[in-house]
Amino acid sequence: MNLPTSASTDQTGTAGITLDQAVAGTVLPPLSYDVSATTVVLGALASRDWRPMHHDYKFATERNGTPDIFLNTPNLAAWFERFITDWTGSRGRIGRMTFRMRDSVFPGDHMVFTGNVSGSEIDETGCGWASLDISVSVGDRLCCNCTARVALPTDKNDNPWARKSDDWKP
């Protein structure tokens, strides 16, 4: 796979951001999505999560006491990754991500991801890092908080994906 190293656009032809564009307080573009039963089931299938609360309505409602089937953890993690990389472009490289689920996301929900840059730095190896605070909400209901540390190019010639071994310290 050839990764961009010096182009100002990523492989999709869209401009990727550089560290100087990720200052504290920068607001990330929101991501909205209408969740369907298919969204929930395919996410569970993709992550090989066969637990019935993610595909069996009767089990979820009668046995677990939830209103419906709901997004599983790996599915939600993938949505956070998409939210981050939609903002960074293909040269953004997630180093760390942690999140806490506070409430479930169900079919019929309209989930909205929002986030902002809480800080940025260049580490001792020269790698640029942005720290992000992200949340997903459904209406007024906060469903999940997330913090992430993502490597960003320090300039148009830098590529965090080229960093290996001692030069990669997420």
Side-chain angles (χ1 to χ4, degrees):
M1 174 183 219
N2 293 327
L3 296 171
T5 56
S6 62
S8 61
T9 59
D10 66 19
Q11 288 178 324
T12 64
T14 60
I17 65 164
T18 52
L19 188 63
D20 63 326
Q21 297 168 300
V23 297
T26 300
V27 176
L28 282 61
L31 171 65
S32 299
Y33 193 80
D34 292 318
V35 178
S36 68
T38 302
T39 308
V40 176
V41 173
L42 289 181
L45 176 67
S47 60
R48 295 180 168 184
D49 185 347
W50 312 125
R51 297 173 58 192
M53 67 279 274
H54 302 302
H55 64 85
D56 184 331
Y57 175 81
K58 190 172 181 176
F59 182 93
T61 59
E62 294 178 12
R63 186 117 182 249
N64 278 9
T66 60
D68 205 333
I69 59 176
F70 52 92
L71 287 181
N72 71 348
T73 305
N75 192 347
L76 196 51
W79 280 101
F80 278 116
E81 290 173 12
R82 175 187 168 182
F83 176 70
I84 293 167
T85 58
D86 278 359
W87 173 65
T88 66
S90 65
R91 289 193 296 163
R93 182 178 180 188
I94 298 171
R96 280 187 287 207
M97 184 176 75
T98 60
F99 59 93
R100 179 182 170 106
M101 297 168 78
R102 299 180 173 276
D103 204 347
S104 297
V105 178
F106 303 102
D109 284 348
H110 178 78
M111 63 180 176
V112 178
F113 290 79
T114 57
N116 66 284
V117 177
S118 58
S120 60
E121 66 175 328
I122 297 177
D123 70 15
E124 66 276 4
T125 68
C127 188
W129 293 98
S131 298
L132 308 177
D133 292 325
I134 305 166
S135 63
V136 62
S137 299
V138 172
D140 293 336
R141 190 167 44 96
L142 175 63
C143 295
C144 194
N145 287 331
C146 174
T147 58
R149 179 172 159 95
V150 60
L152 296 173
T154 55
D155 60 42
K156 67 178 186 170
N157 297 313
D158 186 27
N159 183 352
W161 287 96
R163 297 187 177 278
K164 307 287 183 225
S165 192
D166 291 338
D167 290 335
W168 179 246
K169 298 181 179 182

